[in-house]
Amino acid sequence: MMDRSKILNWLREEDPQRLDALWSQADTVRRENVGEEIHLRGLIEISNFCVRRCAYCGLRADNQDLKRYRMSETEIMGCVRQALDFGYGTVVVQSGEDYGIKTDWLAGIIRRIKAETPLAVTLSLGERPDEDLIAWREAGADRYLLRFETSNRTLYDRIHPPLPGKRSDRIAILRKLQLLGYEAGSGVMVGIPGQTYEDLADDIETFRCLDLDMIGVGPYIPHPQTPLWREMPPSIKTGGRPADPFGGPQFRQNGQQVPNTEGMTYKVIALTRIVCPKANIPSTTALATLNLANGREQGLARGANVVMPNLTPPAYRALYEIYPAKACVFENPRDCHACLHRRILSMGRKVGIGRGDSPRRTSLDARK
Ligand code: SAM
Ligand code: SF4
């Protein structure tokens, strides 16, 4: 049993040979529980407007330097048709928390996607009120992604301020989504300034407790137009992305600070796979941003079974800048599609066919 103390030991493990045993265990658990297929989910970033002021994200409301956009229904349906052409089984409709996205308008688009295609629809639109979540589920939305970002409540409150008069409780929303019949997905960032190894072990335990269908973990990547960047020591802000976003040992809280590295992200992916064997786990764009050459492949070899090729029209991609130097920003959807196919086949894995529904749900249904 991978209990909390073992999780903590693995998170602190640095010996490459011992870590090989962790990668291998995660890959075996992945193969036995979700098979060789890698499911492709076409990502459509429909709006970069956001009312929130998350201290880590470039889309935050007070970033005045960002040109804002919201896609039209025609543009969204164009991306949906591309998803079909490319053989994807799911579209992921993502945005900032944008109340310019009206409940009925989006419900109409979801109904059209469900009527005109066999695609599964995943939403990732932030902390919308119950009425919206209910309306979109009734319109046919299948899944909802909402990362809880960190299970440390004090850290969460610091980096994710609430809207006036309303406490932010993403765990409660996730439970509601499950009750409404959505497949629920969540996740965390790895290496948030102030995040400790203990916090990360708690995050993985929280994945286990929440019984999630999808779990996305990616490295925190500093964005210059955010408070978290501004808190970093001035010495490291020169020359684009800092080599060490935590500014050396003094900022590392006596060895407690989790680094926002590729290696640490692989550990979290691998441990998540072992703890939640049937979850769908993506190898994220943030990971590919840290290692363009083969970050995605390494994530897929260490527990992940999903990738999210970007369908957002090139004119909007660069504007969906949650962090700088995001991978694949200058590619078009056809390039992304071809590149990911090639990468998957070169690993000896298969491209998933169909919607790629949660294997956790399928096995629960079979037991009924
Ligand atoms: N607005 C919705 C929300 O917050 O759930 C969906 C879009 S938001 C951009 C999706 C995810 O991006 C967040 O849950 C967060 O984990 C991730 N993200 C934001 N800023 C990031 C950063 N600087 N580095 C890495 N991931 C980041
Ligand atoms: Fe908005 Fe989501 Fe970015 Fe927070 S993480 S500022 S809610 S887009």
Side-chain angles (χ1 to χ4, degrees), residues 14-28:
E14 294 295 341
D15 180 82
Q17 272 170 357
R18 288 179 57 87
L19 283 170
D20 277 344
L22 179 66
W23 312 145
S24 162
Q25 187 186 349
D27 199 39
T28 304

Side-chain angles (χ1 to χ4, degrees), residues 47-62 68 94-98 124-127 146 149 159-161 170 189 226 320-322:
S47 159
N48 70 353
F49 283 93
C50 190
V51 294
R52 296 222 162 239
R53 296 164 50 243
C54 302
Y56 42 88
C57 175
L59 304 194
R60 66 199 308 274
D62 5 16
R68 304 283 170 165
Q94 194 183 76
S95 74
E97 198 167 305
D98 174 13
S124 173
L125 306 169
E127 297 164 47
L146 189 73
E149 315 294 2
I159 63 168
H160 189 94
R170 288 190 162 209
M189 287 177 287
T226 58
Y320 201 82
E321 197 195 45
I322 53 185

